[in-house]
Every structure is written in structure tokens, then in C-alpha cells.
Amino acid sequence: MLGTVKETIKYLTGIVGESGFGSKSTVDEVLEDTNLGTITAIITGATSGIGLELALALANRSATLVLPTHHPHTADTIISRIASDFPNAQIIALPLDLSSLSSVRSFVSRFEALNLPLNLLINNAGRFCYEYERSEDGVEMTFATNYLGHFLLTNMLVEKMVVTARTDGVEGRVVNVTSQTHAWFDGDGIRYLRMVNEDGRFYNATRAYELSKLANVWHTTEIARKLKKMEANVTANCVHPGIVKTRLNRQREGLTTDLIFFLASKLLKTIPQAAGAVCYVATHPKVKGVSGKYFVDCNEAAWPSKLGSDENEAAKMWDFSEALIAEKLKLGLNSVYSL
């Protein structure tokens, strides 16, 4: 209890941790005097909110950006938005629907055709589905978008990251943006997913979101373990950026929602502060060599749940995800990717 109170005080006051940063540190503060001219980065969910802030910050530091976009007009908008601030920015937009496994595979094929290196992958895109939906692959939509699409995307791109790190001598980093709400989920995640995939009557929007974010944590744990076993110069970590007023949590407008956000405004992070938490894990030298960890407010943090830190559960979700993807794509596991 005492630890929780201390953490709350640190969050509200912005007291810095061992990293030298805290809850109020912005992305510009984290990236001060940083040049990313040798870095090629993919950022999902970069058309608004935290993802857009990350894209602007990295473009300002000369990184080459590959930005997945759901719609062609969105691609034009995001390129124009970044180029208006940074005319010399190197930006490529490629189509991607994270809820579609075939779209993920097409995105990777298009990216590989560019013959670019890949140093940084930030899996930031997120969705909260208030109503029950299933993807074109028959998977509950929140899980399909927030986790399964990112799982496939990462595992198809990680070989490119390993080769880039070996060639350039620069550590590659995978950053999974999760949420502290992952600690609220209890029970058998795989069993719950099977139930909602078969029957929408079992669907609970909050529970589905919690599971998707827990799966992001498990993915981080397991891919970090595999990369370490390979002795690859690529790390994987996950980060809770904090609670921010973004499109994700403002899908429902109205007097009640507006009142809640007004009352909570002193507790919410700004988008630059949330982006700072992600950018610290993605770029800061102090995170070099750190892998399989959980970060909050620009500092490594203890896992907030036993389930989230359970390596056996992480391995089970990995195996389940591989089998599910192979089933949906009607491919053998080795035909999807190799890791």
C-alpha cells in the first residue's frame, strides 16, 4: 500500500526516477540533443495521438519513417502534416489494416521491396471496441487489432531487424505499447478468446481490451527471450504510456464523457508526455541492452500482475497465436515466418 501511495505521489508531482525522467517528461525533453539520422522506424497508429507525436518527434531528429495507414487519404494527410513542419523528412506511407492477417503480410512484402534497413518498430496502434465485432479472419476485433496483427507484423519483421543490427552495429528495438489495465485481467485468456470468437454473447469490451494488452505484455516477454537465445542485437520491451485523452478513449462523445475528462484533466497526461514515455524506451541510450522489461513514466517498473510476468503463460499465448495465424491463413507455421 505504501509503495502505491509513493508511486501516485511521484506520478502527480512528476518526480524523476533513476532515468532522470518522470511522468511529466515530454518527448522533446527525452530526445534533447539526439540525432536519429541513421535510424529507420516503423510506427503503427501514427495518424493521431501518441503515434503522430512520436512520428513528428522522430522526423524532427532526421529518422526515416515508414508509417502504416488504413486509408489512402490518411496517408496523404499524415505525409503533408509532417512535411509541413519538417520539409526534409523522409516519410513513406504503406497501407495496413492490423485486424487483417493478409493485410499484415502484404505490408511486410511492400516494406521488404523498399530494401530499407529496420532499426526500430513501435507497435503503438490500439483500438477499444465498445460493440462486439469480428475481423475478416473471424477473430474478436480488439484482440485482432491490438495484439494478433502486431504479433504477426513483429515476427515477420524481426529477421530484418536482426540483420540490420548485425550490419550497422546499432541495437534494434521493438517497443510494444501496452496499458496498465492488462493487470486487471484474470482467468484463462486463451479460453476466453475462444469463447468470444465463437459467441459474441460472452463479449465484454473492457475485458477484451485488458486481454489484448496482456497479450502484448506476453509477446514482449517471449520475443525478448527468443532474441536473447539467438544472441541478436535486438531488444523488446513494453511500455505503459499513461492515460491520455486521445481518439482511443474518446470514441464516445457527450456530456457525461466530457464531464469525466474535465474532472480527470489534472490526472491525465498530455500527448507529448505520453509520447515521451514511449520514446524513452525506443531511443534513449540508458535502455541499451535492456530487454523483456516493463516501463512506466520513462523508468523500468515492476510488473503490476503475476499473470503478466508469467513466462509459461507467455509461451502458451505465443504457441496459440502461431497456430491461430497458421489456421486462418491456411499455411504451415514455417510458411508464415521463422523465429
Side-chain angles (χ1 to χ4, degrees):
M1 179 67 178
L2 183 60
T4 303
V5 172
K6 286 182 178 179
E7 290 304 312
T8 302
I9 293 173
K10 282 179 65 176
Y11 172 79
L12 293 175
T13 59
I15 296 173
V16 301
E18 291 183 8
S19 68
F21 301 101
S23 63
K24 297 187 182 301
S25 299
T26 66
V27 67
D28 285 334
E29 290 169 344
V30 169
L31 285 173
E32 187 176 7
D33 299 325
T34 300
N35 185 292
L36 301 174
T38 62
I39 300 298
T40 299
I42 294 176
I43 309 171
T44 69
T47 57
S48 64
I50 297 171
L52 176 57
E53 190 73 17
L54 287 168
L56 288 166
L58 268 60
N60 188 28
R61 275 77 181 180
S62 304
T64 298
L65 302 179
V66 179
L67 305 180
T69 58
H70 202 156
H71 302 289
H73 73 272
T74 308
D76 295 337
T77 301
I78 188 65
I79 290 175
S80 298
R81 170 71 179 84
I82 297 173
S84 66
D85 288 351
F86 311 110
N88 296 323
Q90 301 296 312
I91 317 162
I92 300 167
L94 296 177
L96 173 62
D97 175 1
L98 276 165
S99 72
S100 164
L101 298 174
S102 62
S103 177
V104 172
R105 297 184 78 206
S106 296
F107 172 88
V108 173
S109 294
R110 290 187 176 97
F111 174 75
E112 289 177 341
L114 297 173
N115 199 30
L116 288 172
L118 182 58
N119 309 94
L120 176 59
L121 173 61
I122 303 178
N123 292 321
N124 164 74
R127 183 173 181 180
F128 187 106
C129 297
Y130 288 95
E131 306 297 334
Y132 177 68
E133 297 179 55
R134 290 199 299 176
S135 71
E136 67 179 36
D137 301 300
V139 179
E140 188 278 311
M141 186 63 81
T142 303
F143 188 86
T145 305
N146 295 359
Y147 166 70
L148 197 63
H150 281 126
F151 177 89
L152 180 59
L153 178 70
T154 304
N155 294 2
M156 291 188 72
L157 289 172
V158 75
E159 185 177 351
K160 166 70 77 171
M161 298 187 72
V162 171
V163 171
T164 299
R166 186 185 306 130
T167 303
D168 296 352
V170 177
E171 179 182 83
R173 296 187 185 182
V174 176
V175 180
N176 286 331
V177 178
T178 184
S179 167
Q180 205 137 5
T181 59
H182 81 267
W184 300 352
F185 188 90
D186 59 3
D188 188 328
I190 294 173
R191 181 173 180 272
Y192 173 74
L193 181 65
R194 284 175 171 152
M195 288 169 57
V196 296
N197 281 348
E198 294 174 4
D199 190 341
R201 289 178 298 177
F202 293 105
Y203 182 71
N204 177 284
T206 301
R207 190 162 170 77
Y209 184 78
E210 293 165 3
L211 176 59
S212 73
K213 290 301 168 180
L214 177 59
N216 290 148
V217 169
W218 282 334
H219 181 217
T220 304
T221 300
E222 187 64 5
I223 197 170
R225 186 188 67 80
K226 291 178 181 291
L227 288 166
K228 183 178 181 180
K229 186 177 180 180
M230 294 167 56
E231 298 183 346
N233 189 22
V234 178
T235 63
N237 292 291
C238 57
V239 55
H240 167 59
I243 304 173
V244 190
K245 188 167 78 171
T246 66
R247 287 176 57 189
L248 177 63
N249 49 33
R250 289 308 306 269
Q251 287 183 6
R252 287 190 172 181
E253 302 290 337
L255 181 60
T256 301
T257 305
D258 291 340
L259 179 60
I260 290 171
F261 274 105
F262 173 76
L263 294 174
S265 61
K266 298 301 182 183
L267 302 178
L268 298 176
K269 279 190 175 185
T270 66
I271 288 177
Q273 288 169 350
V278 178
C279 207
Y280 175 78
V281 182
T283 66
H284 205 277
K286 288 185 179 179
V287 189
K288 184 177 181 180
V290 178
S291 194
K293 302 300 182 180
Y294 177 72
F295 286 80
V296 178
D297 298 336
C298 303
N299 286 272
E300 187 179 330
W303 295 99
S305 75
K306 289 184 179 179
L307 193 57
S309 59
D310 191 320
E311 294 182 357
N312 290 329
E313 290 296 325
K316 283 166 57 178
M317 179 57 79
W318 181 287
D319 292 343
F320 170 78
S321 303
E322 283 190 325
L324 181 61
I325 290 169
E327 173 197 336
K328 298 302 182 182
L329 293 176
K330 296 180 173 58
L331 294 169
L333 290 179
N334 292 333
S335 300
V336 179
Y337 58 83
S338 59
L339 182 63

